[in-house]
Amino acid sequence: MAERLSIFPLAGALLFPRGHLPLHIFEPRYRALVTDALARDRRVSMIQPRDDREPPTLFDIGCVGHIREVERLDDGRFNIVLEGLTRFRLLRELDVATPFRQVEADLAAFDDAEAPDALPSIVRAEIEREARRFADSRGVAVDWTGVSRLDDETLVNAISAIAPFDTAAKQALLEARTLADRADLLAQFLGFFRRGDDEPATLQ
């Protein structure tokens, strides 16, 4: 099922189904995007750029977001919180007159409607163990008691979103077909980037 989506290309900003992404909107073209979304269906779709060109080329997979919270500032900027609805596969970019980009996308490419099954306890334990090692290697203080209370999907997606991985690694996490696949990949990345702390580690 192809749908028309207004997109916000932003490197490193991952939105997952049922996840939340706070954004400060200040560029005129994205202020126009949010204004348009609020007048229509409140949807803003996140996707990562592949490069630094203007306009950048885009990865094939992104996530549709629904504006759950919005704060309009006096100078025209917005603070918003997006709630992830479903991932999409980009089919083609549309020729539009709007200052923001629009694409035609396949929203049936992923089965994101239902919350995933819980992870096996051994996988959950591995994620928490690798996350502790990664945080310790960076000198980051974490409330691990609070972390232990998170459900599996929130835990895996939150770490995937905030961990300082490169764009390619972030995209691989977004594209992982299931939560179990993403958890396995996340554990590998936590170890890879932790071991690369002495030298810049980049996944290509």
Side-chain angles (χ1 to χ4, degrees):
M1 180 178 61
E3 289 199 32
R4 186 186 189 107
L5 300 176
S6 300
I7 59 167
F8 186 176
L10 186 59
L14 290 193
L15 178 64
F16 294 98
R18 289 168 295 279
H20 298 93
L21 178 65
L23 293 168
H24 176 64
I25 309 297
F26 59 91
E27 287 190 56
R29 56 184 163 177
Y30 298 124
R31 284 160 34 184
L33 186 159
V34 171
T35 299
D36 179 75
L38 291 171
R40 294 188 303 107
D41 56 11
R42 299 180 73 93
R43 294 196 307 182
V44 173
S45 298
M46 302 301 299
I47 194 166
Q48 289 201 116
R50 289 183 181 270
D51 51 48
D52 296 326
R53 293 188 293 180
E54 186 55 44
T57 55
L58 304 170
F59 280 99
D60 294 331
I61 306 300
C63 186
V64 181
H66 178 265
I67 300 175
R68 180 173 179 176
E69 299 177 23
V70 59
E71 177 188 14
R72 299 174 186 261
L73 304 179
D74 293 340
D75 60 2
R77 294 174 296 144
F78 293 92
N79 290 319
I80 66 173
V81 176
L82 293 181
E83 181 175 27
L85 299 178
T86 184
R87 288 171 292 173
F88 65 86
R89 183 177 298 278
L90 189 154
L91 299 175
R92 67 185 181 95
E93 184 158 0
L94 301 173
D95 185 12
V96 294
T98 56
F100 50 88
R101 298 165 73 177
Q102 298 182 52
V103 300
E104 188 177 79
D106 177 10
L107 272 62
F110 295 91
D111 184 17
D112 289 331
E114 300 296 330
D117 295 334
L119 296 171
S121 58
I122 190 172
V123 175
R124 168 75 185 223
E126 181 184 17
I127 292 295
E128 292 197 29
R129 181 174 60 252
E130 289 296 335
R132 282 177 181 267
R133 290 174 176 171
F134 186 87
D136 290 346
S137 74
R138 299 295 178 99
V140 176
V142 176
D143 175 11
W144 294 111
T145 300
V147 168
S148 68
R149 298 193 188 104
L150 298 175
D151 64 80
D152 294 341
E153 184 180 36
T154 300
L155 173 69
V156 170
N157 291 351
I159 297 174
S160 297
I162 67 175
F165 301 154
D166 63 30
T167 302
K170 293 267 190 176
Q171 188 66 26
L173 289 164
L174 177 65
E175 294 185 14
R177 178 63 58 175
T178 67
L179 180 64
D181 293 339
R182 184 174 302 127
D184 180 64
L185 200 56
L186 177 60
Q188 294 180 49
F189 286 162
L190 287 168
F192 173 78
F193 285 93
R194 172 173 55 83
R195 289 189 295 271
D197 280 349
D198 293 334
E199 301 177 2
T202 302
L203 184 72
Q204 297 295 341

